[in-house]
Amino acid sequence: MNNTVQIQSVGKVAGKPAGELQVGDTTVWNFGYTHKVARIVRETKAQVVIEFEGGWQKRMGKTRLVAVA
């Protein structure tokens, strides 16, 4: 399986499934924005809710590839 994600204005970056993100991981988003995982808020069989430093949360499917630095 190819574990790279195409990030706009950055290019290909290594990624891992959202269900495998851990506290302290740094995620990479479009235009090179980075955010550090502060905590795992909630986890179900198919989804995970991640809170990033700064207090904002994002709900993602566990199999979604997320770019990490």
Side-chain angles (χ1 to χ4, degrees):
M1 184 163 100
N2 187 1
N3 286 335
T4 59
V5 181
Q6 176 70 33
I7 300 296
Q8 188 174 348
S9 296
V10 174
K12 293 197 182 280
V13 179
K16 67 180 180 179
E20 295 178 13
L21 287 174
Q22 299 174 347
V23 173
D25 282 348
T26 301
T27 59
V28 182
W29 304 93
N30 288 336
F31 306 105
Y33 291 105
T34 59
H35 297 288
K36 191 175 238 183
V37 175
R39 71 183 180 114
I40 310 299
V41 177
R42 187 176 65 231
E43 194 169 342
T44 67
K45 182 179 177 182
Q47 294 183 338
V48 62
V49 178
I50 306 289
E51 182 175 312
F52 296 92
E53 289 182 351
W56 67 280
Q57 297 179 0
K58 186 162 182 73
R59 181 177 61 192
M60 298 175 273
K62 283 187 169 182
T63 59
R64 174 189 173 163
L65 275 183
V66 179
V68 292

